[in-house]
Amino acid sequence: MRSLAAVGLLLAATVGLFAVAAPSPSQPPAKDEPQKAEAKPLERTLPGLRRDGFVQLPNQWALKPAGRHIDVGDFPVNVALHPTNEFAAVLCAGFKEHEVIIVDLNPERTRVLSRVQVPQAFYGLVWSNDGKQVFASGGEDEVVHVFDFDKGYLTKGKPLDATVAKNRKGVIGGLAFAPNGRDLFVASPWADAVVRVPLVNPDNKKVIQFSPDIGKKEPGKGDPPSPPDNRKDPEGKKADPDAIKEPLVYPYACLVEPNGKRCFVSLWAKAAVAVIDLETNTVSATWPTAEHPTEMVLSPKGDALYVACANSTMVSVIDPTTGKGLQTINCALYPKAPNGNTPNSLTITPDGALLFVANADANNLAAFNVSDRTKALPMGFIPTGWYPTSVRYNPQDRSLYVANGKGMISKANRGGPNPLVPGSRNLGEYIGQLFHGTLGITRLPTPEQMLKHTETARLCSPLRDGSAVRSENVEADNPIPKKLGDASPIKYVIYVVKENRTYDQVFGDLAAGPNPIGNGEPSLCLFPENVTPNHHKLAREFVLLDNFYVDGEVSADGHEWTMGAYATDYVEKVWPLSYRGGKRFGYPAEGARNEIAPPSGGYLWNKCIEAKVSYRAYGEWVTNVGPVKEDGTFADCVPSAPELKGMIDPQFRGYDLGYTDVNRAKRFASELQRFEKAGEMPRMQVVRFGNDHTAGTRVGFPTVTAMVADNDLALGMMVEAVSKSKFWKETAIFVIQDDTQNGPDHVDAHRSVALVISPYTKRKHVDSTLYSTTSMLRTMELILGVQPMSQFDAAARPMYHSFTAKPNLGTYDHVPAKVDVREMNKPGGFGAAWMEKQDIAKEDTLDDLLFSEIIWKAVRGERSPMPPPVRAAFFLPIKAGKKHDDDDD
């Protein structure tokens, strides 16, 4: 182990080597190298296994994980090693089945031994001190599942009740035992409490309630107990003691110190660790950390508390004696990198020398020598699978065990979201259940292996120096600036956000006919040219993007990526639980959870405010107030985020399937006329046209085809209005789907409909460059001169190949609808009875598997079979009985 620690000094001397070893896209050409007059298009790269052995992800990052991998289940979120280190328990808490899985860690027979399903779980997992039992979160059932353990197999015992109060949304989070093994500490994030459960007498539990004001005081000052019931609301009325209290603190994990006197609790929403005095069961102190503190580990000497802070790039290090900060460890690939690597789990070696941190979004482990608690020495990075959520060090075999939440590859879903049994969540290819998590096993690297791992981890990332702009093969006068702050002939940006459609659903038919273009699959096209004539005309006249992918999976994380270039660990861990039917988690995005959901890098409007760039939102991140009246009027909408106050059009209706997108387009056109009279318009405008989501076969709503046609017509009308305005010569319109969850695609489940429309857009051009949501954001940021929001837009490939220096000022004439946009659903349609019972006021509140099947059959007919699925996977399975040598290549 000493040899690995020594490599820290070697890497400190060679850290700059890797920054130049791979060509940096931000490097300018040599002075004697002439600029090419015209950019050469890049070779088409598709998601999946590449020839060089890397796995290409649709978000422009790549994977080449170290070690060996076992397929475990859907979204593993926690790994707990048995006290003997002979077994590992893995908790899976994704969209599909929630399970506790037992893995035999013997290198002679490493394998999954057993698995037990639970109705619901959330993060919490721990072994009893004697290793005879496993305790697992019961999620919003407010119980801790107890399993007896014997030789690798689990037997379910009586669950422990961990309810907090009737007016609290209890959900079981992190679990920890006292050193004596008699008391179990249960974090309840949505109830803002920790429950202390004595195993001998579980009914004698103690509830430690956190004040909403905790974390605001100075360190060491202490915090009051739970607020009194006579608190008054802002209007001065007495609060209802029985009213459900929304969470504000979100205690995430518990850690009891070895002497059993204190329990440390990470406060997910408060950027702080609370200290509970276990003699009095009260909060004795609060210590500040970076944002979203999650897991904690105490040094073996007890002189340093390491806290992974997921909504930052950092691990906060605290002196447990004084509560003062000792240091902050930057875990990102590069020191200047903005937020985005998501350090959410950590482990330390028994001698206290080595710390390993799981960077979920960067797909790697950061390694540090922490022999000196005040000065961590970086030792490099170890590449992992996709979205590592948990890392544990096993001293018995000197290996690191890593749960890769999203597995090893993105996939096509040619079969689409197709539940063969209505209501079933176990069939079909819905994007929420495409990923199969793995448990990665990596031997502690030698210094030479650590150098190789670090180089590989950096090659998996498009990020270079933390602020690079990718400018490969770009002509000198491209209208998209090569670096932030450079001038652009484009002054105004309009960003149109739509809902849930894949490329093949809309553009698949472009690959058919006498003049085929694009990489489409006609058999998967549900909304061909007769339904979406404007989409098709725009793609043909301007640029067809047939290799564009969204970075989110569903609307909950999709709108976060669309507006913030990032979805926090909170959003990523909660949306699968919300979407599978959880009642207490709530919708975790679009301003619904402003106390915890926003990324620390802010949203697009925050960056515009910083750069003094005018901004206006139409329907995106707004809340409707009341219904639309018979005369078509409605009460003003309100912003869903406080920073948007005064920056929205209150008369542009937000998400509402009962209100047509054509009406929204007319409202935008009237705003455009107002701006023309004033002589100026906001430089950044976001417009939401969401009716391509559709209402399925719900009686009283337009048909699926009619709603998509309405959405298409609205887009065409809006583009025509802009193209015939005085602003057209300086404008670029970007069109994107927030996610692609309700459709099939033969390339990848994330492949999306996307458009770029401008006088500076190349005409009649197919751009097959691999782009994603963050590419579009990065392109707009460069035009406007605003800073990136995360590592993802900072590293994204701008859309240079879609633009040209010579403008074409020709205007656009919209195509009238070719189908009846007022055609209504009739009673008796497939799924109509089910749709009647659903709440469609908010996107993605339905069973998406069944809803997607309804959309398919509404267009193709009830007897229309879905095409056979196309699947792909890449990992190195461990075969039972096979012995592995020490090298992990």
Side-chain angles (χ1 to χ4, degrees), residues 455-497:
E455 182 177 14
T456 300
R458 287 185 167 146
L459 290 173
C460 286
S461 168
L463 195 68
R464 292 294 176 261
D465 65 0
S467 59
V469 174
R470 300 172 63 135
S471 56
E472 64 254 324
N473 297 321
V474 180
E475 63 269 25
D477 52 357
N478 192 288
I480 308 304
K482 297 181 186 64
K483 65 179 181 180
L484 205 64
D486 284 356
S488 170
I490 302 171
K491 181 179 181 181
Y492 305 104
V493 169
I494 299 173
Y495 188 27
V496 180
V497 182

Side-chain angles (χ1 to χ4, degrees), residues 157-496:
K158 184 179 179 181
L160 297 175
D161 174 36
T163 55
V164 174
K166 289 183 179 180
N167 64 349
R168 297 283 179 172
K169 299 180 176 181
V171 174
I172 305 303
L175 306 173
F177 270 105
N180 60 19
R182 293 195 292 265
D183 287 349
L184 178 67
F185 292 84
V186 182
S188 189
W190 277 258
D192 281 350
V194 166
V195 184
R196 182 175 183 173
V197 184
L199 298 190
V200 175
N201 184 12
D203 293 334
N204 193 29
K205 64 187 180 185
K206 303 292 184 184
V207 176
I208 302 155
Q209 192 76 59
F210 292 103
S211 162
D213 294 326
I214 192 170
K216 292 183 179 180
K217 295 179 178 293
E218 294 179 5
K221 294 290 185 179
D223 290 276
S226 56
D229 288 337
N230 62 356
R231 287 177 303 161
K232 295 182 178 181
D233 65 16
E235 296 181 358
K237 298 178 182 177
K238 186 175 180 180
D240 180 359
D242 296 324
I244 298 295
K245 292 180 173 59
E246 292 295 325
L248 293 172
V249 174
Y250 293 87
Y252 185 87
C254 298
L255 176 65
V256 183
E257 61 183 347
N259 61 19
K261 293 184 178 180
R262 296 181 299 175
C263 177
F264 306 119
V265 183
S266 55
L267 304 180
W268 209 7
K270 286 296 182 180
V273 168
V275 182
I276 298 176
D277 183 331
L278 297 185
E279 290 186 3
T280 61
N281 290 323
T282 58
V283 176
S284 61
T286 306
W287 301 333
T289 67
E291 290 190 37
H292 284 204
T294 52
E295 286 191 353
M296 302 165 288
V297 65
L298 199 61
S299 66
K301 294 180 181 179
D303 61 352
L305 178 68
Y306 297 90
V307 186
C309 299
N311 195 8
S312 75
T313 62
M314 308 294 184
V315 166
S316 294
V317 187
I318 301 170
D319 184 333
T321 303
T322 64
K324 293 183 178 180
L326 294 171
Q327 63 172 319
T328 301
I329 304 174
N330 190 337
C331 303
L333 281 165
Y334 299 93
K336 295 181 181 179
N339 183 48
N341 49 293
T342 317
N344 71 152
S345 178
L346 70 181
T347 189
I348 196 167
T349 53
D351 62 357
L354 305 178
L355 180 74
F356 297 92
V357 184
N359 287 315
D361 276 291
N363 311 319
N364 61 48
L365 304 179
F368 300 92
N369 184 326
V370 290
S371 299
D372 182 344
R373 65 176 189 155
T374 65
K375 187 178 181 181
L377 294 177
M379 301 191 322
F381 300 88
I382 301 174
T384 66
W386 196 357
Y387 206 84
T389 58
S390 184
V391 57
R392 304 290 180 251
Y393 176 71
N394 187 347
Q396 179 164 292
D397 61 3
R398 300 183 74 237
S399 294
L400 292 160
Y401 288 83
V402 182
N404 300 301
K406 297 185 181 183
M408 310 301 286
I409 200 167
S410 187
K411 297 182 179 182
N413 66 333
R414 182 172 183 141
N418 179 30
L420 303 180
V421 179
S424 169
R425 296 183 179 275
N426 301 316
L427 300 171
E429 293 199 304
Y430 173 58
I431 194 170
Q433 61 178 33
L434 274 182
F435 309 112
H436 296 278
T438 65
L439 180 66
I441 305 169
T442 304
R443 292 296 301 271
L444 208 60
T446 65
E448 294 75 17
Q449 288 172 332
M450 196 70 197
L451 286 166
K452 283 184 178 180
H453 288 329
T454 301
E455 182 177 14
T456 300
R458 287 185 167 146
L459 290 173
C460 286
S461 168
L463 195 68
R464 292 294 176 261
D465 65 0
S467 59
V469 174
R470 300 172 63 135
S471 56
E472 64 254 324
N473 297 321
V474 180
E475 63 269 25
D477 52 357
N478 192 288
I480 308 304
K482 297 181 186 64
K483 65 179 181 180
L484 205 64
D486 284 356
S488 170
I490 302 171
K491 181 179 181 181
Y492 305 104
V493 169
I494 299 173
Y495 188 27
V496 180

Side-chain angles (χ1 to χ4, degrees), residues 74 94-96 429-435 553-554 575-576 741 849:
D74 183 28
F95 181 82
K96 294 190 292 185
E429 293 199 304
Y430 173 58
I431 194 170
Q433 61 178 33
L434 274 182
F435 309 112
E553 269 81 52
V554 297
W575 80 251
Q741 66 174 310
L849 292 172

